[in-house]
Amino acid sequence: MTLEQINAINLEVEKVYNIINNTASNCGLELNDLAFPEHDGVEDDVAIGDMMTLRVNLNGLRHACKIMAEKITYAIGDYEE
């Protein structure tokens, strides 16, 4: 890994963080509206499927971030033994 790669990854992580943070801060009922567009208890299968896929990807990203953060912590020796 090069410093250029680290800097490029950092820029992408910042972008993704901002997208996720802004979305999480500004949505809530919108998710319910997507899942149940007619508010009649009948779900939109496509919307539910897309949300399930996003949830899987977000969980994968969370795990990948944890692993990478641990590797960096170990590499720079910034941990308590």
Side-chain angles (χ1 to χ4, degrees), residues 34-62:
L34 285 172
F36 302 95
E38 301 299 322
H39 303 276
D40 57 0
V42 178
E43 64 186 34
D44 179 323
D45 293 337
V46 173
I48 296 291
D50 288 349
M51 284 191 253
M52 290 173 77
T53 300
L54 178 57
R55 181 180 62 186
V56 168
N57 288 329
L58 288 169
N59 281 321
L61 180 60
R62 177 174 51 114

Side-chain angles (χ1 to χ4, degrees), residues 3-52:
L3 290 178
E4 289 81 16
Q5 289 171 318
I6 288 173
N7 290 327
I9 292 168
N10 193 40
L11 289 173
E12 293 302 316
V13 168
E14 286 177 5
K15 288 178 192 175
V16 171
Y17 171 79
N18 285 325
I19 291 168
I20 293 169
N21 188 48
N22 289 335
T23 303
S25 297
N26 297 318
C27 80
L29 292 178
E30 293 91 349
L31 292 174
N32 291 334
D33 288 340
L34 285 172
F36 302 95
E38 301 299 322
H39 303 276
D40 57 0
V42 178
E43 64 186 34
D44 179 323
D45 293 337
V46 173
I48 296 291
D50 288 349
M51 284 191 253
M52 290 173 77

